[in-house]
Amino acid sequence: MRAGPIDYNEYSRFPTRRVRHIPGNSGAPIIGDSLRFLKDLPGLTRDKYLRYGPVFRVNAFFQDTIVLLGPDANEAILKDTNKCFSSALAWNTSLDKIFPNGLMLKDFEEHKYHRKILQVAFKRGAIERYVDAMSPQIANAIETWPTGQPLRFYDHVKNLLLEVAAAVFLGLDVTPEAGRLNRSFVDAVEATLALVRINLPGNRWSRGQRGRAYLEAFVHAHIAGKRDSADQDIFAQVCRARDDEGRYFSEQAIIDHVIFLLFAAHDTTTSTLCSIIFALASNPTWQQRLREEYRSFDTIHPDLGAISAMDDTALVFREALRMYPPLATIPRRCVRDTEVLGHRIPRNAGVGISPLFTHYMEEYWTAPTRFDPERFAPGRAEDKQHFFQYIPFGGGAHKCLGMHFAEVQSKLFLHHFLRHYEVSVEPGYAMARSVVPLSLPTDGLPVTLRKIEQI
Ligand code: HEM
Protein backbone atom coordinates (compact mmCIF):
# COMPACT_ATOMS: atom_id res chain seq x y z
CA MET A 1 0.00 0.00 0.00
CA ARG A 2 1.31 3.44 -0.91
CA ALA A 3 0.95 5.82 2.03
CA GLY A 4 0.51 9.53 1.49
CA PRO A 5 2.47 11.99 3.61
CA ILE A 6 1.37 12.18 7.23
CA ASP A 7 -0.08 15.46 8.42
CA TYR A 8 1.71 15.59 11.76
CA ASN A 9 -0.50 18.47 12.89
CA GLU A 10 -3.39 16.04 13.12
CA TYR A 11 -1.66 14.24 15.97
CA SER A 12 -1.50 15.31 19.57
CA ARG A 13 1.96 15.41 21.14
CA PHE A 14 1.15 12.29 23.14
CA PRO A 15 -0.49 9.07 21.98
CA THR A 16 -4.13 8.18 22.54
CA ARG A 17 -5.26 6.63 25.80
CA ARG A 18 -7.97 4.65 24.05
CA VAL A 19 -6.14 1.36 24.43
CA ARG A 20 -8.07 -0.11 27.37
CA HIS A 21 -9.15 -3.09 25.27
CA ILE A 22 -5.52 -4.30 25.36
CA PRO A 23 -4.67 -6.61 28.31
CA GLY A 24 -2.80 -4.88 31.11
CA ASN A 25 -3.35 -2.39 33.90
CA SER A 26 -2.56 1.24 34.52
CA GLY A 27 -0.20 0.73 37.45
CA ALA A 28 -0.18 3.13 40.40
CA PRO A 29 -2.51 6.17 40.40
CA ILE A 30 -1.10 9.10 38.37
CA ILE A 31 2.48 7.80 38.00
CA GLY A 32 1.44 4.43 36.55
CA ASP A 33 4.51 2.23 36.12
CA SER A 34 6.93 5.16 35.62
CA LEU A 35 9.21 4.34 38.55
CA ARG A 36 9.62 0.69 37.70
CA PHE A 37 10.01 1.61 34.03
CA LEU A 38 13.07 3.67 34.95
CA LYS A 39 14.51 1.36 37.57
CA ASP A 40 13.74 -2.12 36.30
CA LEU A 41 12.39 -2.20 32.77
CA PRO A 42 13.43 -5.84 32.17
CA GLY A 43 11.61 -6.98 35.35
CA LEU A 44 8.52 -4.92 34.52
CA THR A 45 8.40 -6.35 30.99
CA ARG A 46 8.89 -9.93 32.18
CA ASP A 47 6.19 -9.66 34.87
CA LYS A 48 3.64 -8.21 32.45
CA TYR A 49 4.54 -10.79 29.82
CA LEU A 50 3.96 -13.64 32.31
CA ARG A 51 0.67 -12.13 33.40
CA TYR A 52 -0.80 -10.85 30.13
CA GLY A 53 1.10 -12.53 27.30
CA PRO A 54 3.12 -10.95 24.48
CA VAL A 55 0.80 -7.95 23.93
CA PHE A 56 -0.07 -5.67 26.84
CA ARG A 57 -0.32 -2.03 27.76
CA VAL A 58 1.79 -0.06 30.21
CA ASN A 59 1.31 3.41 31.53
CA ALA A 60 4.49 5.38 32.17
CA PHE A 61 5.19 9.12 32.10
CA PHE A 62 1.48 9.82 31.58
CA GLN A 63 1.43 7.86 28.34
CA ASP A 64 -0.10 4.53 27.46
CA THR A 65 2.04 2.28 25.30
CA ILE A 66 1.08 -1.03 23.74
CA VAL A 67 4.04 -3.34 24.18
CA LEU A 68 4.41 -6.10 21.60
CA LEU A 69 6.94 -8.82 22.37
CA GLY A 70 8.81 -11.43 20.36
CA PRO A 71 10.15 -11.83 16.83
CA ASP A 72 6.72 -11.89 15.14
CA ALA A 73 5.80 -8.61 16.80
CA ASN A 74 9.18 -7.13 15.84
CA GLU A 75 8.58 -8.16 12.26
CA ALA A 76 5.07 -6.68 12.13
CA ILE A 77 6.17 -3.32 13.52
CA LEU A 78 9.57 -2.96 11.82
CA LYS A 79 8.67 -4.38 8.42
CA ASP A 80 5.44 -2.40 8.57
CA THR A 81 4.15 -3.72 5.27
CA ASN A 82 1.06 -1.49 5.34
CA LYS A 83 2.87 1.65 6.52
CA CYS A 84 0.93 1.90 9.76
CA PHE A 85 3.72 2.89 12.14
CA SER A 86 5.39 6.27 12.31
CA SER A 87 8.91 6.58 13.62
CA ALA A 88 8.78 10.40 13.56
CA LEU A 89 5.74 10.71 15.82
CA ALA A 90 7.30 8.33 18.32
CA TRP A 91 10.76 9.90 18.46
CA ASN A 92 9.62 13.52 18.09
CA THR A 93 8.32 13.52 21.66
CA SER A 94 11.87 13.39 23.02
CA LEU A 95 14.05 14.57 20.12
CA ASP A 96 12.34 17.12 17.90
CA LYS A 97 13.47 20.25 19.77
CA ILE A 98 17.14 19.29 19.93
CA PHE A 99 17.74 16.91 17.01
CA PRO A 100 14.94 17.86 14.59
CA ASN A 101 14.47 16.33 11.14
CA GLY A 102 17.01 13.54 11.54
CA LEU A 103 16.42 10.37 9.58
CA MET A 104 14.61 8.62 12.42
CA LEU A 105 12.25 11.61 12.57
CA LYS A 106 11.02 11.10 9.04
CA ASP A 107 8.53 8.62 7.64
CA PHE A 108 7.74 6.65 4.52
CA GLU A 109 8.41 8.39 1.15
CA GLU A 110 10.20 11.42 2.62
CA HIS A 111 12.33 9.14 4.78
CA LYS A 112 13.18 6.93 1.81
CA TYR A 113 14.27 9.95 -0.24
CA HIS A 114 16.61 11.28 2.47
CA ARG A 115 17.98 7.86 3.43
CA LYS A 116 18.93 7.06 -0.15
CA ILE A 117 20.98 10.25 -0.43
CA LEU A 118 22.65 9.81 2.95
CA GLN A 119 23.69 6.25 2.21
CA VAL A 120 26.61 7.52 0.16
CA ALA A 121 28.43 8.43 3.38
CA PHE A 122 28.31 4.78 4.53
CA LYS A 123 29.44 3.00 1.36
CA ARG A 124 32.49 0.74 1.49
CA GLY A 125 34.86 3.26 -0.09
CA ALA A 126 33.84 5.94 2.41
CA ILE A 127 34.27 3.59 5.36
CA GLU A 128 37.73 2.62 4.08
CA ARG A 129 38.76 6.25 4.36
CA TYR A 130 37.24 6.65 7.83
CA VAL A 131 39.35 3.66 8.92
CA ASP A 132 42.53 5.34 7.69
CA ALA A 133 41.63 8.51 9.59
CA MET A 134 40.53 6.77 12.79
CA SER A 135 43.23 4.19 13.27
CA PRO A 136 46.20 6.42 14.20
CA GLN A 137 43.94 8.65 16.27
CA ILE A 138 42.64 5.77 18.37
CA ALA A 139 46.13 4.26 18.72
CA ASN A 140 47.61 7.56 19.95
CA ALA A 141 44.78 8.39 22.32
CA ILE A 142 44.76 5.11 24.23
CA GLU A 143 48.55 5.18 24.74
CA THR A 144 48.09 7.72 27.52
CA TRP A 145 45.42 5.84 29.50
CA PRO A 146 46.55 5.20 33.09
CA THR A 147 47.54 1.71 34.14
CA GLY A 148 47.67 -0.13 37.46
CA GLN A 149 44.84 1.86 39.04
CA PRO A 150 41.06 1.90 38.64
CA LEU A 151 39.98 3.82 35.57
CA ARG A 152 36.47 4.81 34.57
CA PHE A 153 36.32 3.17 31.19
CA TYR A 154 33.08 4.91 30.26
CA ASP A 155 34.59 8.40 30.62
CA HIS A 156 37.70 7.50 28.68
CA VAL A 157 35.94 5.85 25.79
CA LYS A 158 33.30 8.59 25.59
CA ASN A 159 36.02 11.24 25.27
CA LEU A 160 37.91 9.19 22.75
CA LEU A 161 34.81 8.74 20.60
CA LEU A 162 34.09 12.46 20.76
CA GLU A 163 37.59 13.20 19.49
CA VAL A 164 37.27 10.61 16.75
CA ALA A 165 33.85 11.99 15.79
CA ALA A 166 35.27 15.52 15.48
CA ALA A 167 37.75 14.15 12.93
CA VAL A 168 35.69 11.55 11.11
CA PHE A 169 32.29 13.22 11.16
CA LEU A 170 33.31 16.87 10.93
CA GLY A 171 36.84 16.75 9.55
CA LEU A 172 38.37 18.64 12.47
CA ASP A 173 41.65 17.94 14.16
CA VAL A 174 41.66 18.20 17.91
CA THR A 175 41.64 21.97 18.33
CA PRO A 176 40.10 24.33 20.90
CA GLU A 177 37.13 24.51 18.53
CA ALA A 178 36.72 20.75 18.85
CA GLY A 179 36.57 21.15 22.64
CA ARG A 180 33.71 23.67 22.39
CA LEU A 181 31.95 21.49 19.84
CA ASN A 182 32.20 18.45 22.08
CA ARG A 183 30.80 20.38 25.04
CA SER A 184 27.93 21.72 22.91
CA PHE A 185 27.18 18.26 21.65
CA VAL A 186 27.18 16.72 25.14
CA ASP A 187 24.89 19.52 26.38
CA ALA A 188 22.49 18.92 23.50
CA VAL A 189 22.36 15.17 24.18
CA GLU A 190 21.78 15.74 27.88
CA ALA A 191 18.91 18.11 27.11
CA THR A 192 16.98 15.27 25.46
CA LEU A 193 16.60 13.85 28.98
CA ALA A 194 15.45 17.12 30.57
CA LEU A 195 12.14 16.86 32.39
CA VAL A 196 11.78 20.65 32.51
CA ARG A 197 11.64 21.81 28.90
CA ILE A 198 11.68 25.55 29.37
CA ASN A 199 14.69 27.84 29.40
CA LEU A 200 15.75 28.76 32.93
CA PRO A 201 19.18 30.25 33.64
CA GLY A 202 21.79 27.48 33.58
CA ASN A 203 19.33 24.59 33.44
CA ARG A 204 19.86 21.49 31.33
CA TRP A 205 17.35 22.57 28.71
CA SER A 206 18.87 26.01 28.13
CA ARG A 207 22.39 24.52 27.97
CA GLY A 208 21.08 22.06 25.39
CA GLN A 209 19.50 24.86 23.33
CA ARG A 210 22.75 26.80 23.40
CA GLY A 211 24.68 23.66 22.45
CA ARG A 212 22.36 23.02 19.52
CA ALA A 213 22.68 26.64 18.35
CA TYR A 214 26.48 26.43 18.43
CA LEU A 215 26.50 23.15 16.49
CA GLU A 216 24.11 24.63 13.91
CA ALA A 217 26.22 27.75 13.47
CA PHE A 218 29.38 25.67 13.10
CA VAL A 219 27.94 23.33 10.49
CA HIS A 220 26.29 26.18 8.62
CA ALA A 221 29.52 28.18 8.41
CA HIS A 222 31.38 25.28 6.80
CA ILE A 223 28.87 23.99 4.24
CA ALA A 224 30.11 25.90 1.21
CA GLY A 225 33.76 25.12 1.95
CA LYS A 226 33.07 21.47 2.51
CA ARG A 227 31.12 21.13 -0.72
CA ASP A 228 34.05 22.48 -2.74
CA SER A 229 36.66 20.52 -0.82
CA ALA A 230 38.10 17.07 -1.36
CA ASP A 231 37.56 16.26 2.33
CA GLN A 232 36.47 12.74 3.09
CA ASP A 233 34.69 13.18 6.42
CA ILE A 234 30.98 12.42 6.83
CA PHE A 235 30.02 16.12 6.85
CA ALA A 236 31.77 16.65 3.49
CA GLN A 237 30.05 13.57 2.05
CA VAL A 238 26.63 14.85 3.13
CA CYS A 239 27.38 18.30 1.64
CA ARG A 240 28.29 16.74 -1.71
CA ALA A 241 25.54 14.11 -1.75
CA ARG A 242 22.89 14.55 -4.46
CA ASP A 243 19.54 13.00 -5.31
CA ASP A 244 18.71 11.28 -8.62
CA GLU A 245 18.08 14.68 -10.23
CA GLY A 246 21.47 15.97 -9.11
CA ARG A 247 20.11 18.26 -6.39
CA TYR A 248 22.01 18.81 -3.15
CA PHE A 249 20.32 18.72 0.25
CA SER A 250 19.21 22.18 1.42
CA GLU A 251 21.52 23.85 3.94
CA GLN A 252 19.04 23.20 6.74
CA ALA A 253 18.78 19.52 5.78
CA ILE A 254 22.59 19.22 5.86
CA ILE A 255 22.70 20.82 9.30
CA ASP A 256 19.96 18.56 10.64
CA HIS A 257 21.38 15.36 9.17
CA VAL A 258 24.98 15.94 10.24
CA ILE A 259 24.02 16.81 13.80
CA PHE A 260 21.62 13.87 13.97
CA LEU A 261 24.28 11.47 12.70
CA LEU A 262 26.62 12.59 15.47
CA PHE A 263 23.83 11.96 17.94
CA ALA A 264 22.82 8.55 16.57
CA ALA A 265 26.42 7.35 16.57
CA HIS A 266 27.81 8.55 19.83
CA ASP A 267 26.11 7.04 22.86
CA THR A 268 25.22 3.85 21.03
CA THR A 269 28.87 3.10 20.24
CA THR A 270 29.97 4.20 23.73
CA SER A 271 27.40 1.78 25.17
CA THR A 272 28.58 -1.04 22.92
CA LEU A 273 32.25 -0.63 23.80
CA CYS A 274 31.43 -0.54 27.52
CA SER A 275 29.46 -3.78 27.19
CA ILE A 276 32.25 -5.45 25.23
CA ILE A 277 34.97 -4.37 27.67
CA PHE A 278 32.90 -5.49 30.64
CA ALA A 279 32.36 -8.88 28.96
CA LEU A 280 36.03 -9.28 28.02
CA ALA A 281 37.29 -8.18 31.44
CA SER A 282 35.01 -10.81 32.97
CA ASN A 283 36.02 -13.47 30.40
CA PRO A 284 39.83 -13.42 30.08
CA THR A 285 39.80 -16.42 27.72
CA TRP A 286 37.89 -14.46 25.12
CA GLN A 287 40.10 -11.45 25.72
CA GLN A 288 43.17 -13.53 24.92
CA ARG A 289 41.46 -15.11 21.93
CA LEU A 290 40.91 -11.67 20.39
CA ARG A 291 44.52 -10.72 21.07
CA GLU A 292 45.59 -13.83 19.16
CA GLU A 293 43.35 -12.77 16.31
CA TYR A 294 45.08 -9.38 16.10
CA ARG A 295 48.49 -11.06 16.30
CA SER A 296 47.60 -13.05 13.18
CA PHE A 297 47.14 -9.84 11.17
CA ASP A 298 50.65 -8.63 11.80
CA THR A 299 49.85 -4.97 11.22
CA ILE A 300 49.47 -1.98 13.50
CA HIS A 301 46.90 -0.26 11.32
CA PRO A 302 44.55 -2.83 9.79
CA ASP A 303 42.66 -1.83 6.65
CA LEU A 304 38.98 -2.53 6.08
CA GLY A 305 39.77 -5.94 4.57
CA ALA A 306 41.63 -7.03 7.71
CA ILE A 307 38.92 -5.61 9.95
CA SER A 308 36.24 -7.50 8.03
CA ALA A 309 38.21 -10.70 8.58
CA MET A 310 38.24 -10.31 12.39
CA ASP A 311 35.76 -13.14 12.85
CA ASP A 312 36.20 -13.75 16.57
CA THR A 313 35.85 -10.04 17.29
CA ALA A 314 32.65 -10.06 15.24
CA LEU A 315 31.26 -12.85 17.44
CA VAL A 316 32.03 -10.85 20.59
CA PHE A 317 30.53 -7.68 19.08
CA ARG A 318 27.31 -9.54 18.27
CA GLU A 319 27.04 -11.24 21.63
CA ALA A 320 27.59 -7.99 23.55
CA LEU A 321 24.83 -6.37 21.48
CA ARG A 322 22.55 -9.33 22.14
CA MET A 323 23.02 -9.12 25.90
CA TYR A 324 23.08 -5.34 26.16
CA PRO A 325 21.36 -3.76 23.15
CA PRO A 326 21.92 0.01 23.52
CA LEU A 327 18.28 0.62 22.60
CA ALA A 328 16.33 -1.75 24.86
CA THR A 329 13.06 -0.69 23.28
CA ILE A 330 12.06 0.83 19.94
CA PRO A 331 8.95 3.06 19.84
CA ARG A 332 6.45 3.81 17.09
CA ARG A 333 3.11 5.63 16.78
CA CYS A 334 0.26 4.01 14.86
CA VAL A 335 -1.08 6.19 12.02
CA ARG A 336 -3.98 4.03 10.84
CA ASP A 337 -6.13 1.44 12.60
CA THR A 338 -4.57 -1.97 12.22
CA GLU A 339 -4.19 -5.34 13.88
CA VAL A 340 -1.04 -7.02 15.21
CA LEU A 341 -0.92 -10.56 16.66
CA GLY A 342 -4.72 -10.58 16.85
CA HIS A 343 -4.95 -7.28 18.78
CA ARG A 344 -6.56 -4.13 17.44
CA ILE A 345 -4.11 -1.22 17.42
CA PRO A 346 -6.01 2.07 17.06
CA ARG A 347 -4.73 5.09 15.16
CA ASN A 348 -2.55 7.32 17.35
CA ALA A 349 -1.66 4.51 19.78
CA GLY A 350 1.91 4.43 21.04
CA VAL A 351 3.54 1.05 20.52
CA GLY A 352 6.88 -0.36 21.58
CA ILE A 353 8.90 -3.47 20.79
CA SER A 354 11.79 -4.77 22.82
CA PRO A 355 15.16 -5.90 21.44
CA LEU A 356 16.20 -6.61 25.03
CA PHE A 357 13.31 -8.99 25.76
CA THR A 358 13.66 -10.76 22.42
CA HIS A 359 17.40 -11.27 22.94
CA TYR A 360 16.75 -13.27 26.10
CA MET A 361 13.88 -15.49 24.91
CA GLU A 362 14.70 -19.07 25.80
CA GLU A 363 12.79 -20.29 22.74
CA TYR A 364 15.61 -18.84 20.62
CA TRP A 365 18.74 -18.61 22.74
CA THR A 366 20.55 -21.32 24.71
CA ALA A 367 21.23 -20.17 28.28
CA PRO A 368 20.53 -16.54 27.31
CA THR A 369 22.12 -15.00 30.41
CA ARG A 370 25.50 -16.60 29.57
CA PHE A 371 28.12 -14.67 27.58
CA ASP A 372 28.63 -17.14 24.75
CA PRO A 373 29.82 -15.52 21.49
CA GLU A 374 30.05 -18.91 19.77
CA ARG A 375 26.26 -18.99 19.59
CA PHE A 376 26.67 -16.74 16.51
CA ALA A 377 29.33 -18.96 14.87
CA PRO A 378 28.33 -20.62 11.58
CA GLY A 379 27.98 -24.11 13.14
CA ARG A 380 25.42 -22.95 15.72
CA ALA A 381 23.94 -19.78 14.23
CA GLU A 382 21.33 -19.46 16.98
CA ASP A 383 20.40 -16.07 15.63
CA LYS A 384 19.18 -17.46 12.31
CA GLN A 385 15.91 -19.08 13.42
CA HIS A 386 13.79 -15.98 12.89
CA PHE A 387 14.81 -12.92 10.88
CA PHE A 388 13.58 -10.61 13.66
CA GLN A 389 14.90 -12.38 16.77
CA TYR A 390 18.15 -10.37 16.82
CA ILE A 391 17.51 -6.67 16.37
CA PRO A 392 20.16 -4.51 18.10
CA PHE A 393 20.12 -2.32 14.98
CA GLY A 394 16.36 -2.43 14.50
CA GLY A 395 15.06 -3.59 11.12
CA GLY A 396 13.01 -2.61 8.10
CA ALA A 397 13.09 0.89 6.62
CA HIS A 398 14.75 2.48 9.67
CA LYS A 399 17.41 -0.16 10.26
CA CYS A 400 20.51 1.54 11.59
CA LEU A 401 22.33 3.39 8.83
CA GLY A 402 25.61 3.30 10.75
CA MET A 403 25.70 -0.38 11.70
CA HIS A 404 28.73 -1.28 9.56
CA PHE A 405 30.54 1.85 10.63
CA ALA A 406 29.81 0.98 14.28
CA GLU A 407 31.18 -2.54 13.87
CA VAL A 408 34.30 -1.33 12.08
CA GLN A 409 34.98 1.37 14.63
CA SER A 410 34.45 -1.01 17.55
CA LYS A 411 36.78 -3.61 16.03
CA LEU A 412 39.43 -1.00 15.36
CA PHE A 413 39.23 0.20 18.93
CA LEU A 414 39.51 -3.35 20.29
CA HIS A 415 42.46 -4.09 18.03
CA HIS A 416 44.45 -1.17 19.42
CA PHE A 417 43.23 -1.49 22.98
CA LEU A 418 43.87 -5.20 23.46
CA ARG A 419 47.26 -5.00 21.77
CA HIS A 420 48.23 -2.50 24.45
CA TYR A 421 46.41 -3.61 27.55
CA GLU A 422 45.09 -6.46 29.57
CA VAL A 423 41.84 -5.30 31.14
CA SER A 424 40.32 -6.62 34.36
CA VAL A 425 37.49 -5.89 36.80
CA GLU A 426 37.29 -6.68 40.50
CA PRO A 427 36.30 -10.33 41.14
CA GLY A 428 32.52 -10.67 41.25
CA TYR A 429 31.99 -7.19 39.74
CA ALA A 430 28.70 -6.77 37.85
CA MET A 431 28.28 -3.63 35.77
CA ALA A 432 25.53 -1.33 37.08
CA ARG A 433 23.66 0.03 34.09
CA SER A 434 20.71 2.09 33.04
CA VAL A 435 18.43 0.59 30.44
CA VAL A 436 16.45 3.65 29.33
CA PRO A 437 16.82 5.81 27.39
CA LEU A 438 20.02 3.93 26.56
CA SER A 439 21.93 1.06 28.09
CA LEU A 440 24.93 2.71 29.76
CA PRO A 441 27.02 1.97 32.86
CA THR A 442 25.87 4.07 35.80
CA ASP A 443 29.08 3.46 37.76
CA GLY A 444 31.45 4.53 34.97
CA LEU A 445 32.62 0.91 34.54
CA PRO A 446 35.71 0.79 36.78
CA VAL A 447 38.42 -1.37 35.18
CA THR A 448 42.16 -1.76 35.66
CA LEU A 449 44.56 -1.81 32.73
CA ARG A 450 47.91 -3.55 32.65
CA LYS A 451 50.30 -2.70 29.86
CA ILE A 452 51.41 -5.76 27.96
CA GLU A 453 54.24 -6.46 25.57
CA GLN A 454 53.25 -5.04 22.18
CA ILE A 455 52.13 -7.85 19.92
C1 HEM B 1 26.49 -0.28 17.98
C2 HEM B 1 26.08 0.96 17.76
C3 HEM B 1 24.69 1.30 17.28
C4 HEM B 1 23.50 0.74 17.61
C5 HEM B 1 23.24 -0.43 18.56
C6 HEM B 1 22.47 1.44 16.86
C7 HEM B 1 21.12 1.14 16.92
C8 HEM B 1 20.17 1.72 16.12
C9 HEM B 1 18.78 1.36 16.10
C10 HEM B 1 18.13 0.30 16.97
C11 HEM B 1 18.18 2.13 15.17
C12 HEM B 1 16.72 2.06 14.74
C13 HEM B 1 15.83 2.94 15.58
C14 HEM B 1 14.38 2.83 15.17
O1 HEM B 1 14.01 2.02 14.31
O2 HEM B 1 13.58 3.59 15.71
C15 HEM B 1 19.17 3.00 14.60
C16 HEM B 1 18.94 3.95 13.63
C17 HEM B 1 19.89 4.79 13.13
N1 HEM B 1 21.24 4.78 13.41
FE1 HEM B 1 22.18 3.53 14.67
N2 HEM B 1 23.07 2.41 16.11
C18 HEM B 1 24.42 2.35 16.32
C19 HEM B 1 25.39 3.15 15.75
C20 HEM B 1 25.16 4.10 14.79
C21 HEM B 1 26.18 4.88 14.15
C22 HEM B 1 27.68 4.74 14.42
C23 HEM B 1 25.55 5.74 13.30
C24 HEM B 1 26.13 6.77 12.36
C25 HEM B 1 27.39 6.83 12.03
C26 HEM B 1 24.13 5.47 13.39
C27 HEM B 1 23.17 6.12 12.66
C28 HEM B 1 21.83 5.78 12.68
C29 HEM B 1 20.83 6.47 11.91
C30 HEM B 1 21.06 7.63 10.96
C31 HEM B 1 19.62 5.84 12.18
C32 HEM B 1 18.25 6.19 11.61
C33 HEM B 1 18.01 5.31 10.39
C34 HEM B 1 16.68 5.60 9.73
O3 HEM B 1 15.79 6.11 10.39
O4 HEM B 1 16.58 5.29 8.54
N3 HEM B 1 23.94 4.47 14.31
N4 HEM B 1 20.39 2.73 15.18
Side-chain angles (χ1 to χ4, degrees):
M1 182 191 294
R2 202 180 147 82
I6 303 173
D7 182 356
Y8 294 111
N9 295 320
E10 285 180 5
Y11 291 81
S12 51
R13 187 145 183 86
F14 295 108
T16 180
R17 306 200 78 162
R18 288 171 35 222
V19 295
R20 297 293 144 102
H21 60 287
I22 301 287
N25 61 45
S26 303
I30 302 177
I31 59 166
D33 283 313
S34 306
L35 289 183
R36 191 138 185 241
F37 188 93
L38 278 180
K39 281 195 167 155
D40 179 24
L41 182 61
L44 176 69
T45 310
R46 195 185 47 246
D47 289 353
K48 301 242 181 213
Y49 172 73
L50 291 175
R51 187 156 169 206
Y52 299 112
V55 180
F56 55 83
R57 65 187 152 88
V58 283
N59 176 270
F61 310 110
F62 315 110
Q63 290 185 47
D64 282 314
T65 301
I66 303 175
V67 178
L68 300 127
L69 297 175
D72 289 341
N74 300 342
E75 178 165 10
I77 304 299
L78 294 176
K79 237 175 150 182
D80 192 18
T81 319
N82 292 327
K83 306 228 182 318
C84 293
F85 297 103
S86 161
S87 175
L89 282 165
W91 285 110
N92 269 341
T93 321
S94 52
L95 300 182
D96 67 344
K97 298 284 188 291
I98 303 280
F99 295 104
N101 303 315
L103 210 50
M104 250 156 67
L105 284 70
K106 295 187 182 300
D107 288 312
F108 311 134
E109 291 305 317
E110 193 202 4
H111 166 261
K112 197 166 154 192
Y113 171 82
H114 282 256
R115 183 167 167 121
K116 191 169 170 212
I117 302 175
L118 278 177
Q119 258 159 353
V120 71
F122 296 94
K123 291 233 160 86
R124 190 176 170 89
I127 292 187
E128 264 164 10
R129 292 188 288 273
Y130 306 149
V131 168
D132 294 343
M134 280 190 291
S135 191
Q137 207 185 0
I138 294 175
N140 290 341
I142 61 169
E143 289 245 4
T144 58
W145 289 11
T147 52
Q149 63 193 62
L151 161 157
R152 287 171 59 93
F153 180 81
Y154 169 78
D155 298 345
H156 281 71
V157 82
K158 188 174 171 70
N159 284 337
L160 169 62
L161 290 178
L162 281 171
E163 284 171 18
V164 172
V168 171
F169 282 70
L170 300 177
L172 283 180
D173 284 335
V174 183
T175 60
E177 204 175 29
R180 170 98 193 261
L181 273 167
N182 288 347
R183 189 65 253 157
S184 304
F185 174 68
V186 170
D187 284 347
V189 174
E190 284 178 357
T192 61
L193 305 178
L195 293 177
V196 180
R197 295 187 160 226
I198 45 172
N199 282 326
L200 296 171
N203 74 347
R204 198 185 249 199
W205 188 248
S206 68
R207 282 200 305 277
Q209 297 286 332
R210 264 205 315 279
R212 166 81 199 186
Y214 183 79
L215 292 172
E216 279 215 17
F218 174 86
V219 175
H220 185 250
H222 289 80
I223 290 175
K226 281 282 174 191
R227 196 171 271 157
D228 296 337
S229 76
D231 290 358
Q232 296 299 332
D233 50 86
I234 291 181
F235 178 18
Q237 308 271 359
V238 176
C239 288
R240 291 195 295 262
R242 294 171 191 246
D243 68 10
D244 291 342
E245 265 90 63
R247 287 171 305 205
Y248 292 124
F249 276 135
S250 70
E251 291 199 341
Q252 191 58 48
I254 292 173
I255 292 169
D256 291 339
H257 282 313
V258 169
I259 297 177
F260 186 83
L261 284 172
L262 279 167
F263 168 69
H266 184 64
D267 277 346
T268 47
T269 313
T270 306
S271 162
T272 305
L273 286 175
C274 286
S275 303
I276 295 176
I277 290 304
F278 166 61
L280 292 177
S282 315
N283 294 274
T285 318
W286 270 99
Q287 194 179 139
Q288 189 52 28
R289 190 161 152 181
L290 296 200
R291 225 170 257 123
E292 297 299 332
E293 178 159 85
Y294 308 141
R295 199 193 300 275
S296 70
F297 286 112
D298 189 28
T299 170
I300 295 179
H301 295 296
D303 60 12
L304 187 55
I307 292 173
S308 306
M310 292 176 179
D311 293 336
D312 284 345
T313 314
L315 297 180
V316 167
F317 179 77
R318 282 183 203 137
E319 178 67 338
L321 284 173
R322 180 190 69 82
M323 295 185 79
Y324 313 110
L327 269 80
T329 61
I330 298 178
R332 291 289 185 266
R333 185 92 69 90
C334 184
V335 290
R336 59 179 61 94
D337 290 348
T338 187
E339 197 181 288
V340 178
L341 305 185
H343 292 264
R344 184 171 60 80
I345 313 289
R347 178 175 178 272
N348 202 21
V351 301
I353 56 167
S354 174
L356 184 63
F357 180 88
T358 316
H359 291 181
Y360 282 80
M361 286 177 78
E362 289 182 346
E363 296 90 318
Y364 295 97
W365 308 99
T366 317
T369 54
R370 198 172 64 218
F371 176 74
D372 178 11
E374 294 274 8
R375 68 173 84 242
F376 288 94
R380 280 173 63 191
E382 280 188 9
D383 57 317
K384 296 282 190 284
Q385 300 159 77
H386 192 303
F387 201 68
F388 285 86
Q389 77 181 77
Y390 180 66
I391 53 163
F393 294 106
H398 288 276
K399 189 164 190 178
C400 178
L401 191 65
M403 57 187 272
H404 297 302
F405 177 86
E407 178 164 349
V408 165
Q409 189 178 34
S410 302
K411 285 172 155 179
L412 199 52
F413 171 83
L414 290 168
H415 165 87
H416 288 298
F417 181 77
L418 294 176
R419 287 176 74 249
H420 267 76
Y421 301 117
E422 195 179 84
V423 57
S424 59
V425 285
E426 290 290 317
Y429 168 78
M431 182 162 78
R433 60 170 67 241
S434 61
V435 176
V436 280
L438 234 74
S439 169
L440 286 169
T442 50
D443 59 0
L445 180 53
V447 299
T448 303
L449 307 185
R450 189 176 70 81
K451 202 154 178 84
I452 53 175
E453 281 294 305
Q454 283 280 316
I455 53 172

